[in-house]
Amino acid sequence: MPVILTNNVAPKSAGTKLDKNQLKFKIALTGNLFNNYGFKDLKPEAIRAFHKFIDETVGKKLTITNAESKLLRTKGKPSFKELVNGKKRDIVHFGQGNTPFRVFGYYNDDGYFVICRIDPSHKFHKT
């Protein structure tokens, strides 16, 4: 007797919404950083600021919600669209206190904050 095949599988959604309250804040580098905003352009004090950013987020095992409430910069537009590796992404940026140091990136489908720009002097929005 033939087996009747059915399509009782739920369709895969185009994307999943991140549960920012549960997921730990994780960072990733998945491609080249934008020109003039990479590691080779960092001075020692900027490297220390980047290390502090890592300590304050990943090092403290913060959730995405905690990291955003502590470090997400929201003056003006909190996010903007930018073409990254051929795909439009919602770019957000993080900074610490009143320092000009900023880290720009987007969240990928796995919940990682993918860094695309390290801006020690916050010159990106000033150009």
Side-chain angles (χ1 to χ4, degrees), residues 12-27:
K12 187 174 181 179
S13 66
T16 58
K17 186 169 170 86
L18 298 176
D19 183 1
K20 294 181 175 185
N21 289 320
Q22 298 293 324
L23 287 177
K24 298 293 182 196
F25 184 84
K26 303 173 284 186
I27 61 173

Side-chain angles (χ1 to χ4, degrees), residues 27 32 46 49 52 58-59 62 75 84 96 100 109 113-114 127:
I27 61 173
N32 291 336
K52 184 176 179 185
V58 178
L62 297 181
K75 288 186 178 180
V84 181
Q96 295 177 299
D109 293 336
F113 177 71
V114 179
T127 57

Side-chain angles (χ1 to χ4, degrees), residues 7 39 42 51 64 70 77 100 109 115 117 119 121 125:
N7 191 8
F39 290 105
L42 297 180
H51 191 286
I64 294 172
K70 186 175 183 178
K77 291 183 178 180
D109 293 336
I115 297 172
R117 181 182 291 115
D119 187 0
S121 302
H125 280 133

